[in-house]
Amino acid sequence: MVQKAQLPDHRPFRVTNRQVLAIAIPMALAYLTTPFIGLVDTAVVGRFGDVALLGGLATGAVVFDVVFTPFNFLRSGTTGLVAQAVGRGDLPEEKATFWRAFSMAAISGMLMVLLSPLIAAIGEWFMHADQPVAAAMDLYIRIRLISAPAALINYAILGYFLGRGKAALGLFLQLFVNGTNVAFSIVLGIYLDWGIAGVAWGTVCSEVIAMVAGMAVLVGRFRNVPKVSLQHTFNMAAMRRMLQLNGDIMIRSLALMGAYMLFTRQGAQLGALTLAANAVLMHVFFAGAYFLDGFAAAAEQLVGRAVGALNRPAFSGAVRLTAAWALTLSGFTSIVVYLFGEQLIGAMTKAADVRAEAVLYLPWAAFATMSGVLASQMNGVFIGASWSRDMRNTMLMSFAAFVAVLFSFGQMFGNHGLWSALHVFLLLRGISLLLVMPRRVRTAFAER
């Protein structure tokens, strides 16, 4: 029989601005460091002056993102379940939740390693690149997929720490993995002259080292937690719950990724100039989205903790404060991007025609952050509460509406129509979740 252990921070709590910012700011900084890795890798490979290597890196990174993005559930799903265990004061269940996520991550990662030749072959077929580019992409994918078990376990580790509200520790681990990635990529890629292979091996080394460091911290913490039997950790009911939660989050991630890929594809139909301009503008949009994801992370932890504690006032406070901060900063971000977007575009591309085209559609990209802020914050709420089925269903509904608007408006208004469809998609996701939330709240807190 597993006993629950009560700690002072498991008592009924009130959500404050300080609590929100203590999670949101470190996680926003952690997310913002991610694009920097791509810039460094590009700079390392770019020093060799080989266009095929740059093309192989770019296409390989896309394939890698497509393969790994659906596994984000190992981070977000773990966060919500651990936070709920924190709210209940159930230390053994926190520990058991992590080991369930760890086992899923390790098994999934090993399957990726075994299937790496097939994944590389499918990537080459899908990208349909020239032979030199395909060869570089194949090398990059096969090497980098060796890191899959460590990378996915790192998702689970980050999810556990975030579920515990240890965002500063999560930031440290992200900075550690990204910092070692940069260092290894430079040393192996440039100084040892390994080129694109060095960049890939640099990622492998950094993921493994970060996993070892994160596990060392966790094992030290778990020494002070009551032992949990294997029967409890891997009991079928808990495993089914986690699998269902993770499956719903995976479907949601696939639909989101599909929407962005379809947007890119339809932009390509309008010509290379539009495709290039949209690519630049999407970088602008994603930068703002990365920043706001910090408040989604805060919502995940605080909402999950409130649901676990059956503390409705704390739940309402978490929703209200994360929404207020996210909405305020999204408005500020949109205005800044709109006012200084032309300079940002100029820093990303020197091609005059691409700059002019991107500036034409800049308002759409600048204010996409505001259109998407509610979806981001509501996702955090629903993940924290483990209301994954509603999140999945509203995403699929929003995706269907997006496809209809994309093709109809795209034909009528060109690229303006594509961007308007993206705004519709972002708004629908947030509004639909907001409309569903009152019913779910009544059910979740029926006992109080």
Side-chain angles (χ1 to χ4, degrees), residues 18 54 169 224 346 369:
R18 176 176 291 183
L54 278 173
L169 184 54
N224 301 319
T369 304

Side-chain angles (χ1 to χ4, degrees), residues 355-378:
R355 286 204 307 270
E357 186 80 358
V359 169
L360 177 63
Y361 300 103
L362 174 62
W364 288 110
F367 292 98
T369 304
M370 289 189 67
S371 293
V373 63
L374 182 60
S376 175
Q377 188 258 351
M378 281 287 106

Side-chain angles (χ1 to χ4, degrees), residues 256-264 282 285-286 422 426 429:
L256 181 61
M257 185 169 58
Y260 290 138
M261 291 178 68
L262 190 56
F263 175 86
T264 301
M282 287 301 284
F285 165 57
F286 284 140
L422 183 63
L426 295 171
R429 287 173 52 212

Side-chain angles (χ1 to χ4, degrees), residues 14 41 70 76 94 127 151 217 254 268 271 285 338 354 374 388 422:
R14 184 172 64 89
D41 289 350
S76 54
E94 292 178 34
M127 291 298 177
V217 175
L254 288 170
F285 165 57
Y338 179 72
V354 175
L374 182 60
S388 59
L422 183 63

Side-chain angles (χ1 to χ4, degrees), residues 38-325:
L39 293 176
V40 172
D41 289 350
T42 301
V44 169
V45 175
R47 288 178 61 92
F48 291 88
D50 190 331
V51 176
L53 290 181
L54 278 173
L57 175 67
T59 53
V62 169
V63 171
F64 195 83
D65 288 343
V66 168
V67 172
F68 266 63
T69 296
F71 289 90
N72 282 336
F73 67 75
L74 289 166
R75 202 282 303 161
S76 54
T78 304
T79 296
L81 293 175
V82 169
Q84 289 173 38
V86 170
R88 293 192 301 271
D90 193 346
L91 282 171
E93 182 58 22
E94 292 178 34
K95 184 177 181 179
T97 297
F98 170 76
W99 287 120
R100 291 176 200 131
F102 176 93
S103 64
M104 291 182 187
I107 293 170
S108 300
M110 290 305 299
L111 285 174
M112 283 190 189
V113 174
L114 294 174
L115 295 174
S116 57
L118 179 61
I119 293 171
I122 293 174
E124 290 175 41
W125 169 80
F126 182 77
M127 291 298 177
H128 195 60
D130 294 336
Q131 199 282 326
V133 173
M137 179 178 69
D138 180 83
L139 177 64
Y140 178 80
I141 292 173
R142 287 172 182 257
I143 294 174
R144 191 170 174 187
L145 279 175
I146 295 172
S147 72
L152 295 184
I153 289 170
N154 284 334
Y155 285 3
I157 292 172
L158 179 61
Y160 174 83
F161 286 129
L162 184 55
R164 286 285 306 161
K166 306 297 184 182
L169 184 54
L171 171 61
F172 170 78
L173 289 175
Q174 286 297 103
L175 292 176
F176 182 71
V177 69
N178 291 340
T180 53
N181 193 343
V182 169
F184 277 114
S185 294
I186 292 173
V187 171
L188 298 178
I190 295 177
Y191 289 100
L192 295 185
D193 200 28
W194 289 7
I196 193 170
V199 169
W201 279 114
T203 301
V204 173
C205 294
S206 65
E207 293 285 3
V208 171
I209 292 173
M211 180 195 70
V212 172
M215 289 302 300
V217 175
L218 273 176
V219 169
R221 170 175 171 73
F222 286 162
R223 287 199 185 104
N224 301 319
V225 177
K227 290 185 178 181
V228 184
S229 68
L230 288 176
Q231 184 180 4
H232 174 79
T233 299
F234 298 106
N235 79 81
M236 292 306 298
M239 291 298 292
R240 277 197 301 270
R241 183 190 182 203
M242 178 170 273
L243 286 170
Q244 180 183 344
L245 171 65
N246 291 344
D248 290 337
I249 296 173
M250 176 182 278
I251 292 171
R252 173 255 177 197
S253 298
L254 288 170
L256 181 61
M257 185 169 58
Y260 290 138
M261 291 178 68
L262 190 56
F263 175 86
T264 301
R265 178 190 179 278
Q266 291 306 106
Q269 305 305 306
L270 299 176
L273 182 61
T274 300
L275 175 64
N278 283 353
V280 171
L281 291 173
M282 287 301 284
H283 281 298
V284 173
F285 165 57
F286 284 140
Y290 276 126
F291 183 70
L292 293 176
D293 279 347
F295 292 96
E300 290 175 23
Q301 200 279 334
L302 295 170
V303 164
R305 184 178 167 193
V307 168
L310 290 177
N311 187 337
R312 187 163 182 170
F315 174 90
S316 300
V319 173
R320 184 177 64 254
L321 289 180
T322 55
W325 277 104

